Amino acid sequence: MSKKPQLENSVVAFIDILGYKGLFKNKTKDEINDKIKELYDSFQKAKDKSKMNLDEKLIRTKLEKYIYWKILYFSDCILLSQVFFDEKKFYLSFSNIERMVANFQLEMVLNRFFIRGGLTLGDIAITKNFIADPALIDAHELENEKAVFPRIVLS
């Protein structure tokens, strides 16, 4: 039986790909498949770079059991979240997700995709197939209302 979702203190980033609709409008199926592959490859590269850039000291001190993050892609959106179990671990979570967001932003720009987003602290309940939380709402509002240009806004 799978674990039921429950709210956890997290650093949450909501990222939107700008001009997404234009990537697919009036395109052939092959052109759309090529663009989907480009997007997917960009996401994977950014994710892999983020994993490689995790603080080696953190891993050597065996704190990795406290550091786990989730990445969800849906349509033109990316959700990154990392739980922090107590205030002492907060700086690790924030540092890691900040690096992930920077890697995503760089990788996407290098592949001609521009993004904007919001990064916030809050509670999130997230599993492989389920998301519910106030933090996602806050991060989405930051992305939608404050990050008008390609940038990531912190709250």
Side-chain angles (χ1 to χ4, degrees):
M1 179 178 270
S2 64
K3 181 181 167 189
K4 295 200 183 213
Q6 62 183 19
L7 290 175
E8 297 179 291
N9 291 327
S10 300
V11 180
V12 177
F14 180 86
I15 299 170
D16 179 59
I17 301 170
L18 299 174
Y20 187 79
K21 183 169 59 171
L23 296 175
F24 304 112
K25 197 169 188 172
N26 300 320
K27 304 281 196 267
T28 67
K29 189 174 183 177
D30 286 341
E31 290 172 321
I32 292 170
N33 277 328
D34 289 345
K35 197 54 74 175
I36 288 170
K37 184 184 178 316
E38 273 183 61
L39 279 169
Y40 181 80
D41 289 346
S42 297
F43 292 153
Q44 289 305 115
K45 276 185 186 175
K47 186 171 109 174
D48 292 344
K49 282 183 183 178
S50 296
K51 284 183 177 179
M52 287 188 310
N53 289 334
L54 282 176
D55 189 339
E56 287 184 31
K57 179 181 173 192
L58 185 117
I59 292 168
R60 282 197 310 270
T61 59
K62 299 190 181 204
L63 288 175
E64 69 272 14
K65 68 181 180 180
Y66 298 108
I67 310 297
Y68 70 92
W69 36 300
K70 296 195 171 130
I71 302 174
L72 300 174
Y73 313 110
F74 48 100
S75 185
D76 64 338
C77 303
I78 305 162
L79 173 69
L80 305 167
S81 72
Q82 182 158 19
V83 171
F84 62 95
F85 293 97
D86 60 43
E87 297 304 317
K88 293 176 185 171
K89 307 291 187 301
F90 163 73
Y91 78 95
L92 296 172
S93 295
F94 183 82
S95 175
N96 286 334
I97 207 161
E98 179 271 329
R99 287 181 201 171
M100 286 189 292
V101 168
N103 284 328
F104 270 106
Q105 194 168 29
L106 176 62
E107 195 59 43
M108 297 303 281
V109 166
L110 291 174
N111 287 285
R112 301 173 318 278
F113 300 112
F114 291 91
I115 63 173
R116 68 178 184 199
L119 186 100
T120 191
L121 302 176
D123 291 325
I124 187 168
I126 184 170
T127 68
K128 189 174 181 177
N129 301 309
F130 181 85
I131 306 168
D133 68 285
L136 176 58
I137 294 166
D138 292 345
H140 179 263
E141 285 176 350
L142 280 171
E143 177 272 324
N144 198 36
E145 297 170 9
K146 305 283 187 204
V148 178
F149 305 105
R151 62 183 172 171
I152 306 297
V153 178
L154 305 177
S155 161

